[in-house]
Amino acid sequence: MTGPLRIGFIPLVDAAALIVAVDKGFTAAEGLDVELVREVSWSNVRDKLNIGLFDAAHLLAPVAIASSLGLGHVKVPIAAPFNLGINGNAITVSPALHAALMEEIDGDRFDPLVTAKALARVVARRRKAGADPLTFGMTFPFSTHNYQLRFWMAAAGVDPDEDVRLVVLPPPYMVDSLKSGHVDAFCVGAPWNSVAVDLGIGHILHFVSDILVRAAEKVLAVRQVWVDKNPDVVAALVRAAVKGAAFIEHPENRIEAARILAQPERIGVDAEVIQRTLTGRLKISPDGTFRESGRYLLVGREGAGRPDPVQAAWLYAQMVRWGQTPLTPDGVKTAMAVFRPDLYDAALGSRAPSEAPAAFGAFAGPVFDPDNIRGHLEAFEVGRWKA
């Protein structure tokens, strides 16, 4: 190869392994010259990766699958040899919507089924009053944010296509959209939920790890043709990202990691906000209420970096559930083939672990079985809009 590797990213904390790998010299130690390019929207990242302006990218896991299937854009097979983040999203609501939900709460406010039922009552009350539907921001049609919002709402009978409005917004624009009243709530990755809380314009209603125990959020994405031509470079990039993730996950490194990520050319928010994200202890309301979760964002611990094709199958199932693609055997196979634990293992010189993958669970519905996606979806369809 000639020239530096160009890797696109969005200013989110789940780009941390890549950013730290470059800024701490882990990529250089692997013999790589890397230029990180900050972007605003996922469509920009996807398009520049697909046409080769980027050699690799920090990318929404469902976008990698959609590109490989040719959904919503040109068909470009993508390989994901490293998971940049498990979990890390949150649902943030305006003070007005938060107050309305709390008025309707009947149970534990941190239970997503309880809040979903409260949302259903708010939606019904607004409809009766002739008010406009609530508007929720999410980052892309092919995103965990979209599927997590839908999964949560539908569990209590709220139809996300009829009862509310879901709109696409780039992550850095979420806060201003909430502040201006263009949206009533949003689902986005860190640090933008915390920024809204610190400004006094939002309440974090849920960590999305409340909704899904373990959700593949962002991946290191490369075009399959590029992998075929540059296997050694891909392996070196995976090793550097693994080192970056390991650095971040050591508690004694969190302050330094937060300062690296806070740089204006990286994420560009206060380091203290990022540090909260890395520790999983977040301020969830402007009044100073904090909440802590060890599952809020997994960057490297608990095997988070190793791609799990079952995660890809679940994301494909959501695409089917919400009408983005039909269910086909080839579709399942293509989706699962995007997540490449074989490339991860080859890069590290290790064999696949003998233990089963970590549990993949949700707060509602049947246990997910990648070998029976049709049956899984039919179970939801039976009571799809019933509380």
Side-chain angles (χ1 to χ4, degrees), residues 87-107:
N87 301 334
N89 295 335
I91 298 172
T92 294
V93 300
S94 69
L97 179 54
H98 186 261
L101 290 169
M102 292 305 107
E103 286 180 11
E104 299 290 350
I105 282 287
D106 183 14

Side-chain angles (χ1 to χ4, degrees), residues 15-364:
L18 273 178
I19 294 170
V20 169
V22 173
D23 291 0
K24 285 292 291 181
F26 300 140
T27 49
E30 290 288 344
L32 303 176
D33 179 12
V34 176
E35 177 190 357
L36 291 178
V37 183
R38 174 173 159 149
E39 287 286 349
V40 171
S41 73
W42 290 115
S43 56
N44 278 3
V45 174
R46 175 199 62 187
D47 294 349
K48 290 183 179 181
L49 177 66
N50 283 352
I51 65 176
L53 292 178
F54 289 152
D55 299 296
H58 162 234
L59 192 65
L60 290 161
V63 171
I65 295 168
S67 288
S68 297
L69 292 167
L71 303 179
H73 200 54
V74 297
K75 183 175 182 178
V76 179
I78 300 294
F82 182 76
N83 258 344
L84 286 167
I86 295 287
N87 301 334
N89 295 335
I91 298 172
T92 294
V93 300
S94 69
L97 179 54
H98 186 261
L101 290 169
M102 292 305 107
E103 286 180 11
E104 299 290 350
I105 282 287
D106 183 14
D108 180 1
R109 69 184 179 121
F110 298 124
D111 180 338
L113 186 56
V114 169
T115 57
K117 289 179 177 179
L119 177 66
R121 290 189 281 271
V122 171
V123 166
R125 191 172 67 191
R126 290 175 65 89
R127 183 187 298 113
K128 185 176 181 180
D132 290 336
L134 293 166
T135 301
F136 287 76
M138 48 86 175
T139 65
F140 207 66
F142 300 107
S143 70
T144 48
H145 316 76
N146 184 21
Y147 307 139
Q148 288 159 348
L149 281 172
R150 289 170 175 272
F151 193 98
W152 169 60
M153 294 175 180
V158 176
D159 185 334
D161 292 314
E162 298 292 337
D163 296 333
V164 300
R165 294 180 65 233
L166 296 180
V167 298
V168 172
L169 294 168
Y173 297 168
M174 291 286 187
V175 174
D176 284 343
S177 296
L178 189 67
K179 184 177 181 179
S180 67
H182 291 160
V183 299
D184 300 288
F186 58 68
C187 182
V188 73
W192 303 111
N193 300 284
S194 292
V195 171
V197 172
D198 284 353
L199 289 173
I201 62 169
H203 295 254
I204 295 177
L205 186 68
H206 283 297
F207 299 163
V208 173
S209 54
D210 299 337
I211 295 170
L212 296 175
V213 173
R214 190 178 175 91
E217 175 55 37
K218 307 297 190 315
V219 295
L220 173 64
V222 289
R223 287 169 294 129
Q224 183 58 52
V225 293
W226 197 83
V227 175
D228 295 340
K229 293 178 181 178
N230 303 283
D232 293 342
V233 176
V234 172
L237 192 53
V238 168
R239 287 192 296 270
V242 168
K243 292 174 184 175
F247 180 88
I248 293 160
E249 294 288 22
H250 281 290
E252 64 270 21
N253 296 333
R254 296 262 168 82
I255 293 175
E256 182 182 356
R259 287 173 179 164
I260 291 170
L261 298 171
Q263 297 174 94
E265 68 273 20
R266 298 311 189 207
I267 298 177
V269 302
D270 190 88
E272 192 271 335
V273 174
I274 295 173
Q275 194 175 342
R276 277 186 247 154
T277 298
L278 297 178
T279 60
R281 186 173 185 271
L282 275 66
K283 184 165 72 173
I284 62 171
S285 291
D287 66 5
T289 300
F290 275 78
R291 186 176 175 218
E292 188 168 357
S293 171
R295 292 188 292 109
Y296 174 67
L297 173 63
L298 307 179
V299 176
R301 66 188 186 279
E302 299 182 20
R306 188 175 188 268
D308 179 1
V310 174
Q311 294 276 354
W314 186 86
L315 292 169
Y316 175 76
Q318 305 317 299
M319 295 176 182
V320 174
R321 182 181 183 186
W322 301 110
Q324 292 176 324
T325 188
L327 176 61
T328 67
D330 284 347
V332 178
K333 183 178 179 181
T334 298
M336 294 183 74
V338 172
F339 280 34
R340 298 291 300 275
D342 58 315
L343 293 178
Y344 178 91
D345 293 340
L348 299 185
S350 61
R351 299 179 65 180
S354 57
E355 67 269 16
F360 181 89
F363 79 92

